[in-house]
Amino acid sequence: MNSVRERVLREIVARLSSAIAPISVLRMPAVPVTREASPALLLFVDGDSIAAHVNHLVDRLLGVRLAVVARGADAFDVADRVLVAAHAALLADPNLGGLAIAVREIDCEWDVDDADAGAVALPARYQIRYRTHAIDLTQTG
């Protein structure tokens, strides 16, 4: 069985993919998004830390970053609409089907890439609180 962390990430990808279809959701892409593949929503894991130990349970904080990449004259509008839909999908069920304790929005930024005329990257960060057993990362607590 996969870890709770992996199941949380897969649940996030599934929810985002459903909410913004037919736009692609790319998890931790290793190469830049091509002009032809945009707009796209990228999912990055910023880290996973321990928030608390209680007996045999561990509260964890998973940091994720979504980044919408869009190009063209309406890139800001497209990026904003995609991020609005992704945000709604992520926060519609803050327990992610029983895998998480909470989902919390942290911040959002605007970034324009002058090197690629009209490219916009709109990143937003979220924190997912979840609980595992101390000795078994596949078991929720």
Side-chain angles (χ1 to χ4, degrees), residues 27-108:
R27 181 175 166 188
M28 303 287 287
V31 296
V33 176
T34 64
R35 180 171 292 281
E36 297 76 30
S38 64
L41 179 65
L42 316 180
L43 171 66
F44 299 96
V45 176
D46 285 343
D48 191 23
S49 61
I50 295 173
H53 286 272
V54 179
N55 298 324
H56 65 283
L57 300 176
V58 180
D59 280 8
R60 300 175 183 275
L61 299 173
L62 178 64
V64 298
R65 180 172 27 99
L66 305 179
V68 181
V69 176
R71 293 178 173 87
D74 62 345
F76 283 107
D77 291 335
V78 170
D80 186 60
R81 285 192 298 269
V82 171
L83 193 58
V84 165
H87 177 85
L90 199 53
L91 294 177
D93 174 14
N95 297 110
L96 298 176
L99 291 170
I101 297 168
V103 175
R104 183 174 70 105
E105 180 183 17
I106 297 174
D107 62 17
C108 182

